[in-house]
Amino acid sequence: MVKIKDLKIGDRPEMALKFQSIQIKKTTTNDDYASLIGFDGEDLIEVKIWSLPESKKDLLRSGEIYIVSGLIKDYQGKKQFNVSDFRIASDDEVDKSAFYEYAPLSKVELQTKISGYINKIKNPILHKIVVTTLKKYVNDYFEYPAAVTIHHNYIHGLAYHVYSMLNLSDTFLKQYQYLNSDLVYSGIILHDIGKVKELSGSKGVEYTKEGNLLGHIAIGATIVSGIAESLGLLETEEATCLIHMILAHHGELEYGSPKEPLMAEAALLYFLDYSDSRFASLEKFYRTTNKGEYTDQIFAFDKKSFYVPKID
Amino acid sequence: MVKIKDLKIGDRPEMALKFQSIQIKKTTTNDDYASLIGFDGEDLIEVKIWSLPESKKDLLRSGEIYIVSGLIKDYQGKKQFNVSDFRIASDDEVDKSAFYEYAPLSKVELQTKISGYINKIKNPILHKIVVTTLKKYVNDYFEYPAAVTIHHNYIHGLAYHVYSMLNLSDTFLKQYQYLNSDLVYSGIILHDIGKVKELSGSKGVEYTKEGNLLGHIAIGATIVSGIAESLGLLETEEATCLIHMILAHHGELEYGSPKEPLMAEAALLYFLDYSDSRFASLEKFYRTTNKGEYTDQIFAFDKKSFYVPKID
Amino acid sequence: MVKIKDLKIGDRPEMALKFQSIQIKKTTTNDDYASLIGFDGEDLIEVKIWSLPESKKDLLRSGEIYIVSGLIKDYQGKKQFNVSDFRIASDDEVDKSAFYEYAPLSKVELQTKISGYINKIKNPILHKIVVTTLKKYVNDYFEYPAAVTIHHNYIHGLAYHVYSMLNLSDTFLKQYQYLNSDLVYSGIILHDIGKVKELSGSKGVEYTKEGNLLGHIAIGATIVSGIAESLGLLETEEATCLIHMILAHHGELEYGSPKEPLMAEAALLYFLDYSDSRFASLEKFYRTTNKGEYTDQIFAFDKKSFYVPKID
Amino acid sequence: MVKIKDLKIGDRPEMALKFQSIQIKKTTTNDDYASLIGFDGEDLIEVKIWSLPESKKDLLRSGEIYIVSGLIKDYQGKKQFNVSDFRIASDDEVDKSAFYEYAPLSKVELQTKISGYINKIKNPILHKIVVTTLKKYVNDYFEYPAAVTIHHNYIHGLAYHVYSMLNLSDTFLKQYQYLNSDLVYSGIILHDIGKVKELSGSKGVEYTKEGNLLGHIAIGATIVSGIAESLGLLETEEATCLIHMILAHHGELEYGSPKEPLMAEAALLYFLDYSDSRFASLEKFYRTTNKGEYTDQIFAFDKKSFYVPKID
Amino acid sequence: MVKIKDLKIGDRPEMALKFQSIQIKKTTTNDDYASLIGFDGEDLIEVKIWSLPESKKDLLRSGEIYIVSGLIKDYQGKKQFNVSDFRIASDDEVDKSAFYEYAPLSKVELQTKISGYINKIKNPILHKIVVTTLKKYVNDYFEYPAAVTIHHNYIHGLAYHVYSMLNLSDTFLKQYQYLNSDLVYSGIILHDIGKVKELSGSKGVEYTKEGNLLGHIAIGATIVSGIAESLGLLETEEATCLIHMILAHHGELEYGSPKEPLMAEAALLYFLDYSDSRFASLEKFYRTTNKGEYTDQIFAFDKKSFYVPKID
Amino acid sequence: MVKIKDLKIGDRPEMALKFQSIQIKKTTTNDDYASLIGFDGEDLIEVKIWSLPESKKDLLRSGEIYIVSGLIKDYQGKKQFNVSDFRIASDDEVDKSAFYEYAPLSKVELQTKISGYINKIKNPILHKIVVTTLKKYVNDYFEYPAAVTIHHNYIHGLAYHVYSMLNLSDTFLKQYQYLNSDLVYSGIILHDIGKVKELSGSKGVEYTKEGNLLGHIAIGATIVSGIAESLGLLETEEATCLIHMILAHHGELEYGSPKEPLMAEAALLYFLDYSDSRFASLEKFYRTTNKGEYTDQIFAFDKKSFYVPKID
């Protein structure tokens, strides 16, 4: 199928595009039109749909893949796709996986890895709470990204982020033996559980109303507290410590944690979350920057441009 | 019964004292002794219990009232009570109510007033959640203070604080008619519900472990979320908005709210909580400061000393 | 008369417009032209006046109403009015009141309401200062808005803001009886008196040079101090307390108060000013946002978008 | 007369002392006693006056010089003077000037120096305002210190601080010729005029009620504005600029300026005030610190200890 | 030669332009083009070079002067120069000095002035370090600007900034005699020495890689420390104090000083650097603003617009 | 030898004590005496040396071990040792190692471990700089603590801190493969090299003058820059990157880094330094706190008390 990079002004292609950042606007003559971004799995193109009958408007969904046709125009030096027709693509005609970004590990691999850590949790109360929570949300937990943008914003990103942190935690647990590994593993596995309600899904991700008004930290605390209550474990030391870790995992009040870490295990959870989110963010920039040059501004590092050393 | 203000150096009184700020320490010879503050309903006196057998140590509880005897000594220009014997006072021999501070309204009055507001909540979902929550915690809700120190730190203080805010809210609801009164009333009534678990009780109040690790904001959110779930109402607009109001009632991230107000009703809740806690704090200082003079440093106003105008 | 909403590309209307945000710029050929916003009482339209003889340039005044004629063009999808001729409209041909926003109460109503509160000030010194000040600035006081943008930015806005605060203050005075109502009323009535010099007028409002260099807080303090001096009352307790309230009404140094509140009455003035300015701001956004949706970014709330609950 | 440094435990001296930091307290037997610091012109000693009849209490004034008699005791390794009798010293029996700190220049010298600068102000409006203001406050202006503690806290300190700044300003005026020297001189001379009402006097200095509630910045603005008004000059460009300079001379909102500098001359005033107050502060520390050692903590430099280089 | 101000749409000039802010971009057809700003010594013009063969791309250098030819077009109401050919201008055909901004004093004058101050340094160790450092970097030191933008951003700006500060320092040294003049002079002369490596040169200045990664403060410290070591003077009191002054000259940690001033001489260095950079910045704005008007936003003063008083 | 814990009031022991926190003060009779803390390898005791001839004063050195004799007194309920005679202990009579705290690994072990990492640095320039620097400072590097208090404040603490970070770094290098391991290892090994000049030694540690005025960050940069220069490697990419890492290792300007991390390797160095210093700090508190209890206030965590979970 034709690709964006091959399009020329005046072409009239039919091709598959994923729609993103959809906005419905009004023309001077007060008609609706859609302004959005199209993605062919490799490149982005600006898209306008000037004629938009009511019946078609409902088909527009951020993250969905369409078969579109229309005219390529020049607008202020850039190509613009004036789409005259579009319909949702079927799985047969398009390999949809090419349109989405995925974690480096598959869902099955992530489930195996994380299960391995769950089996290492010896404390029966923590084990019970973790297993019950994951069972309830198993589908979303292993599908969702970890964020709308910024870091791990790809399919399975949430679970991959958890797995990365578990991996890093082992060195710390070995070096600082006073840390309780059961709490550390449980805290890492559940710290972002609230994201299954904060985010809208695994594709074309945006914040839900609950996400905006409550946030994944408070949602996570109520999920775990609800499950602990249903298991008759809410009043246990384990539940209190685990919920504290979820509440405190952003590390500081100004980053949205209603409590700052007051346990060594909560402090470690914060450090690991902080580190993994930042180094995973950086990775994307390093992939597209040559040695000896500066990256674009990095949101996760206060919009600074990083330098990539010219050293082998 | 003898009062602190009448004691002289060398006296050997037997009298009723409430014990506060109890600390167990070691003498040079490695024996336990207790250092605490005694309160006779009017004045405070420093108390030392040098001889403290294991059997008696367990009797010491902050906020409890005792019959004590011993010797009044001079220590660095102040009276110190060296208690040689003490036992818990019975209700018969002491009018215990004189030892505690109470809200200006009685429990019954507060229940009547707050019930009046609950009846004004017309939205059935909000009404159901409020009624069910208060029913579950009715005893503590109408007994607890609103804080360890700072503001409304007296018996029934929590309910009185709620009632004051409801009272103030009516003028705002009248002036800004776009506000939803059902949400405002429900939010005010439940905003501090987490304090029934954050604080240890109505007398000799201190923070519980849950209070320290989770805080009343997150506890309140999990309480209301748990009750909404048990009523099958967790996924309603009403529950989400109400939990947002609880989470946002400290107004800013740095004051421990994981979300800042994103609804007009949540902003009003924050303003009323902020105002009532500060003006109730101020009241205590104004009671003990003459016109034309400065108060002591006020914790709720960044330790500033306020001036009381000499104006009739 | 024709309205903006009915204009079509190519029309050549003659109509009444209020001019705002006037900027004089240079064309490529170095001639002056005017770029501004036109308002017909309901809608806004972009206006260009390409031919602008020196004689007409002086007629351009922000906030004035004109009879204009010219051509409606399309510019980047929006209508643009290329005005070829304009003159100031007379009161006969246009109902000018339709072009301005007004407070919900009329000037007469506001005078009556505020006079009622002045009559409640029993302290003769405060009464004298308040009455003398208002007498001196009576015209501007009851005409001016309370701000250039943000809140109460309409005709009579200053007085309406004062009246709203007086209204809210009564509940607080009843609840916290240690507050001195004479000071509270006087402080509210005079707190923004400096705005009669900080702002340029009641229409097409902008900051004066004094406004920029001194600000309404310092101007207000010098106005009241000058009047107190002329009455021989500058050295009174009342004058000092009242000036303190004016200085402190922004509540914190970083908001431009050279002193933070050091009297309960000054703290209340700050809370009421803070609350009324924010809730009046919010009101405008709520009027144009449907239930279940988010408002535009609100300047008075750190550019946050508020959610309007879908609850009856 | 006997000096503090020669006193020994058990001595019963009669000597002259200036009283400072006077506090009236209660003994265990509920009698009044005074606790204060005595100064003999060179050293400090702790003083207690245990017997304090009502008639004598009124004699106690911070900054006053007394003839005292009593017993020298040892209290926790330090000498303590238990004063049994005291009376105000007459000018005949004591050289009072030895008890106070003075500026390096005399009142007459300062008047001459500052008059020289006033004569250099060519703008008639600024000259008129400056001359009229100084005439009104001439006594206090040349007697007062510039602060309670921190910097220039000695007799004539206010005028000496002004003179130092005028002196420094000449180099700047020469280097940056776009600065208006009339404004700079006028601003420096009047910037701290509010201190004549903020502080209680030239000896035993403390903050007045006006000082606490209004502060010298606002007081200064109202003084100059009042004088400008009485001269019919309030609406002049000169008065507005001068008052702006007074308001802005602390440089930042958080230091109590309600406006930050918006004129080059106001920025210079801020820099000079900032510099002179800090370097004058430092001077006192350098006098008592050897080369190669660290000073005590310096309040004006965030409590840092400065190092005095061992360099000739 | 023709000037920008005389150009008209449709002209085809050949003229001399200095190129600045050069950006290489891609056209829709994926060809390189250059977008830059041209400067003729008086005015700026937007330049596009649509045809840019590989051979010519390497000729483009920020700050270089070219002979260009092409067509003047109109782009959104502004003139745009579509350059079809360009080559580096020779010194013969263009008076290059007209294209650069210079300090008010010549290189020779600055060398004489600064040498005068070096001769006043009596301490042999400080004298040796200063002389050796300046000798090593003499060419760049007297050519470089003091910054990329903001202040003293012209040829010889670094040395002129040093000279201005030396000039101002004399008044302070006279007024606060406890200051060590040798340290003050040495510190001023060397405080910005790191800029000879932080900046790329005297024309078309930008930050070097070392500038970005190390900054002129740390570079300056290592330069002086290296020279002191080579002279066998690294362990001296003088070297330590001098390096401290360089490290501390931005005054606060948040402005990039790893140590805040801990010596009076370091504090003075900071004040003088702060003052001179700001007043030199202001000067440029005052030159282009009429009395009674506001300047553009000034970066060095938090983007505030300053008012230029209408006072003679 | 007798131990502090066995001493009783009235005892006259002869025993070995390490002296710490030595202060020379004046008695009322103006004689010198010493006030200090004694440490017997397990417990601390307050020590006074009232009789202190000039000859003995020079023997007093923080961190030295003495044989002392004198009388045990009671002072305000605590034991106080009034030392009448003391002399420096010889290695024969006392096992001095019992008086100091040591890292968990021996000097030899640390040298072996760190050498292992140095051998893994393949880049010849980085390898050369690291080896040359460590060779120059080998004795101090493996003896010094990492800080005066707070973290790793024991003998070999500096090297142990480095080893811990190297250990933790391996997991990160494996997980984020875009990181350059040579830079990471070199940066970790040299990041605190400036401490060999910032601190006074390995026993009785305090800040040197260079430490106070320059700090270990700037000292470290000048050390590495000096060595790179002596090797002819100063202008290399490797040296610039390595010095950047040293400068940036405190992560933020306000913590004393003159540059914030601008390379991924520098960000990792900061995270590892931050984490290891905090978790090593915590370890000491966990050793002395029971499960289910709170630690004392922890300086490295904003003086918070941490909770030790009661979970096995």
Side-chain angles (χ1 to χ4, degrees), chain A residues 14 30 35 47 51 62 70 90 113 151 157 160 164 166 186 214 229 290:
Chain A
E14 181 178 271
N30 215 28
S35 176
V47 174
S51 166
S62 176
S90 68
K113 297 279 192 189
H151 76 96
Y160 186 70
S164 298
L166 287 168
S186 305
L214 311 182
E229 191 163 32
N290 293 327

Side-chain angles (χ1 to χ4, degrees), chain B residues 54-164:
Chain B
E54 209 54 39
S55 62
K56 295 220 113 177
K57 221 191 293 179
D58 293 344
L59 290 181
L60 291 173
R61 267 195 305 276
S62 176
E64 188 63 76
I65 299 168
Y66 300 85
I67 302 297
V68 306
S69 55
L71 172 68
I72 304 304
K73 290 192 160 175
D74 175 288
Y75 180 68
Q76 299 184 332
K78 286 182 301 181
K79 287 181 283 192
Q80 190 186 72
F81 196 160
N82 281 230
V83 164
S84 47
D85 203 13
F86 67 92
R87 62 181 168 77
I88 294 176
S90 68
D91 287 349
D92 296 342
E93 55 194 334
V94 178
D95 171 14
K96 293 192 173 176
S97 71
F99 289 80
Y100 299 106
E101 206 182 345
Y102 291 84
L105 294 187
S106 74
K107 188 171 171 175
V108 171
E109 288 169 311
L110 287 167
Q111 280 177 318
T112 309
K113 297 280 192 189
I114 292 176
S115 290
Y117 278 95
I118 294 177
N119 291 338
K120 290 163 79 175
I121 301 173
K122 296 167 301 296
N123 178 292
I125 295 175
L126 289 170
H127 190 267
K128 187 84 183 165
I129 293 174
V130 169
V131 166
T132 311
T133 310
L134 247 63
K135 203 169 162 189
K136 181 163 178 187
Y137 295 101
V138 65
N139 286 332
D140 290 346
Y141 188 89
F142 287 99
E143 280 296 330
Y144 270 53
V148 172
T149 51
I150 304 186
H151 76 97
H152 299 95
N153 52 336
Y154 39 67
I155 297 176
H156 315 322
L158 175 55
Y160 185 70
H161 173 44
V162 163
Y163 166 63
S164 298

Side-chain angles (χ1 to χ4, degrees), chain A residues 160-232:
Chain A
Y160 186 70
H161 173 44
V162 162
Y163 166 63
S164 298
M165 289 169 66
L166 287 168
N167 219 17
L168 291 175
S169 75
D170 282 327
T171 322
F172 286 84
L173 288 170
K174 209 169 135 199
Q175 184 129 319
Y176 313 107
Q177 303 214 352
Y178 60 90
L179 294 164
N180 182 304
S181 65
D182 287 353
L183 272 173
V184 170
Y185 292 150
S186 305
I188 292 175
I189 293 168
L190 296 186
H191 81 287
D192 268 352
I193 188 71
K195 288 196 170 159
V196 300
K197 292 192 176 181
E198 186 189 42
L199 303 178
S200 62
S202 59
K203 300 173 184 174
V205 185
E206 49 195 27
Y207 289 102
T208 61
K209 189 197 303 170
E210 275 183 304
N212 275 322
L213 295 181
L214 311 182
H216 74 274
I217 286 186
I219 297 172
T222 58
I223 285 177
V224 172
S225 135
I227 281 177
E229 191 163 32
S230 74
L231 297 169

